[in-house]
Amino acid sequence: MSQAVDEIKIGGIGASRKRVEDNRFIRGKGNYTDDIVLPGMLHMEILRSPLAHARIKSIDATKAWDIPGVHLVLTGEMMATRNLAWMPTLSYDTQAVLATDKVRFQGQEVACVIADDPYIAKDACEAIVVDYEPLPVIVNPCQAVADGAPVIRDDKENQPDNVIYDWEVGDRDGTDRAFAAADLVSKLELHYPRSHPSPIECCGSIADFNRATSKLTVYMTTQAPHIIRAAVAMVAELPEHMIRIISPDIGGGFGNKVPVYPGYVCSILASILLERPVKWIEDKSGNLISTGFARDVYLKGEMALRRNGKILAVRMHTDADHGAFFSDAQPSKFKIGLMHSAFAAYDIPVAHLTARGTYSNKAPGGVAYRCSFRVTEAMFFQERMMQAAAADLGMDQAAFRRMNFVPDEAFPHRTPFGFLTDSGQYAKCLDVGLKAADYENFRRQQAEARSRGRLLGLGISTMTEPLGAGNSREYDILGIKMFDSAELKVHMTGKAIVRTGARGQGQGHETTWAQIVAHELGIPAEDVVVEEGDTDTAPFGMGTYASRSTPVAGAAVAMVSRKIRAKARKLAAHLLEVSEEDIEWELGRFYVRSAPDRGVTIQECAVAAYANMPDGMEPGLDATAYYDPPNLTWPFAVYIVTVEVDPETGVWDVLNMVAVDDCGVRINPMIVEGQIMGGLTEAYAMSNMQFITFDADGNCVGANYMDYLLPTAWETPGFELHSEVVTPCPHHPIGAKGIGECAAVGGPAAFVNAVLDAIKDTGVRNIDMPLLPDRVWEAVTYRRDVSGAPPVRSDD
Ligand code: CDP
């Protein structure tokens, strides 16, 4: 007699199953793009511009061609003869593949050399002589819109200035009326600095064009293989069914591996021309100086308040510096990504946001570094503004937030910018956090320490993030609707393979998708293999970014499992010789309602699908599901940090950090904790050590890992994680919400708020990130705000 199986024992939902992919990673057996060696493979290197803005007078590659071992030198002029000097971006702009007329940022791709090995290619790059005529440089939006500013994108028709878009959302008039009626208006202005996702593995590709079959296979570091296939078909004008994109193991992406980079296109063209595989692997400084940056947004806003603390309205303006090309992926309807998710957790009647995007002579930026299209900037401004407003009101930070939260019973809640948030228990999360941080006691200690000249501070940040783009009604990239898919094949022996259109980069999909199948079908997770990243085998999907995998691809895995279960039910009825209506399901087993002892396992049904199916039934146990989510999922979190600031040096130390994350049902609690810890680590790094800026000539300052610091276990503080609040997503098939990015999104404001709280007696309202010791010291010593926006202070 077969019985229902114990879900945790088979590695279903809620099991902290060890990550199966780690078995190969910790043994050094991962298969990354650079590990792949193909017969006859050549190597490509890129020559980059040393100048930020210059006209190209000439390029002389004669000496490079003469170097033994060089097979091809590509220049913009040659690319132009094949209509490949420019390519479309994922945001309806164009981007130079190799520069023809001008270079527009330091590090821009000017030429490529393909040679027997990467060293010869590098030497040959250095032998190319480029004659540049320097042009005036723009490094921030203020310069970009100034009278007489040089037009950076003079290659484009109908582009008279440097403005990419002027966009607005919300109710302008209603917001004006609410401000007119306010008791108090609180204001804040800040710069969210450029940051770089800095995955450990750089970008790269191996293009392999086979003239005999006309098939192009490209191994590449992409988070979105199917979108890349469509882009390659468009750019290289190859038929899509003759293009196979394989995204092997990826050493971190964080949004950096979503855009289409010139290196991919050049390696493809080189392979077509040479009929040999061509490998391009970017070096670290190439990655840091030229690939998708994030943030670089100037935010200002104001909040209309009642004296009792009730928020009446919010007004926001953003100026986003996109660099020389608008090349990050963007849902086409929303020009500044999901910036308008700001203040979604608070019950605010009306709001208005204006956003302007401009070009500058900087590498293209604006990628969604571990966030859902600009949500990080939105949440940072929100929580910095909440702290400033509470201080202006003379109210307690926690009480001000609590009284303005959307209450539990108000869901689904329409935000003033039009989103519909799904569910949450915001006040409960805050209470758990305050208790864990010993809030009241800390405030007493803080006051007592201050009387002895010690500066203690506490920062609160909350975040709710719209995760799981899309629904196809509202979200598309280049017109392709955002949804996802999963394919499940159950073999005769009851073992299975699941494929999705997502592509993990270390998040543990191979582990957690199998857990969803185990939950839905009772097939042990260890009997389910997960495969992603090959466009010839995986069903179509929009890729992995914006923490959309669990909300969309994960949902598709649940839905395809249910399709399989529906067919297995018919097989069970046949095996048990009863009608389908008389069959009940318990995990892993169908049984006869009137005789529960009579049952068959899912594995027995699988055998029957191949060996004993009823007359007229199509054999096999396979299915594909496309999932178009009805809404985004809205996880919530509260982060509370305590710090001590040394007024003599400006150095600040984290005393404690508490994180309360509610991401609905946790598929794998251990993986979820890992995601939160990783996000908090990045939040800590952004807030206190990661510094990339540009001097007035457009030179990238911080273009190496001596200046742009990656946090290690040594400097990263400990984090106390809390998982007791679980609000299932009402529209996700298994109640899960995304989690991958939450801590990186909500964390930075907690650190900054804590430092500003410690020095609040100085009256300082803002220090721009990173809160380097010299900035904090300057703020404390001179009692003034410290801006980090480029061009930086004259002494930098
Ligand atoms: O899209 P991405 O994979 O980056 O983000 P995610 O969907 O938030 O998932 C990150 C990892 O956490 C995946 O392995 C998920 O399956 C896992 N996860 C989970 O176990 N439970 C959740 N409620 C959300 C994510």
Side-chain angles (χ1 to χ4, degrees), residues 254 370 672-684 719 740 743-744:
F254 308 109
R370 209 167 182 167
V672 168
E673 291 204 347
Q675 294 289 310
I676 297 168
M677 289 201 182
L680 292 177
T681 304
E682 285 182 310
Y684 175 67
F719 308 121

Side-chain angles (χ1 to χ4, degrees), residues 16 19 83 129 150 164 260 274 312 366 386 463 566 593 655 709:
S16 280
R19 295 179 7 137
N83 210 14
V129 181
I164 306 171
V260 183
L274 296 168
L312 301 177
M386 289 301 285
M463 78 100 232
R593 188 177 304 119
L655 305 175
L709 304 180

Side-chain angles (χ1 to χ4, degrees), residues 87-95 234 260 325-328 478:
M87 62 180 178
T89 70
L90 297 177
S91 284
Y92 295 98
D93 195 6
T94 48
Q95 172 167 5
M234 275 158 51
V260 183
F325 309 108
F326 185 23
S327 68
D328 47 308
L478 282 186

Side-chain angles (χ1 to χ4, degrees), residues 308-321:
N308 67 1
K310 175 75 191 124
I311 304 171
L312 301 177
V314 170
R315 208 183 261 142
M316 275 174 79
H317 176 74
T318 72
D319 265 306
D321 182 341

Side-chain angles (χ1 to χ4, degrees), residues 197-260:
S198 293
I200 296 296
E201 179 204 32
C202 300
C203 296
S205 54
I206 305 170
D208 184 13
F209 180 68
N210 184 328
R211 176 75 58 201
T213 60
S214 298
K215 181 127 190 181
L216 172 71
T217 304
V218 192
Y219 302 84
M220 64 162 68
T221 53
T222 176
Q223 297 175 227
H226 285 93
I227 302 188
I228 293 282
R229 186 179 65 183
V232 170
M234 275 158 51
V235 173
E237 291 182 7
L238 291 170
E240 200 172 353
H241 67 298
M242 285 293 159
I243 304 169
R244 179 181 187 187
I245 306 293
I246 301 174
S247 183
D249 285 329
I250 300 186
F254 308 109
N256 185 244
K257 291 173 179 164
V258 176
V260 183

Side-chain angles (χ1 to χ4, degrees), residues 507-509 512-513 544 547-551 663 665-668 671-672 675 736-740:
Q507 295 95 327
H509 292 180
T512 48
W513 296 166
T544 289
S547 282
R548 58 186 302 280
S549 304
T550 303
C663 61
V665 172
R666 294 183 177 205
I667 302 161
N668 183 321
I671 286 185
V672 168
Q675 294 289 310
K737 304 182 181 187
I739 186 62

Side-chain angles (χ1 to χ4, degrees), residues 565-585:
R565 198 165 74 206
K567 182 165 184 188
R569 175 184 288 274
K570 293 188 195 307
L571 289 158
H574 170 65
L575 294 175
L576 294 165
E577 296 177 340
V578 293
S579 85
E580 231 188 288
E581 290 70 48
D582 295 331
I583 295 279
E584 292 287 336
W585 166 255

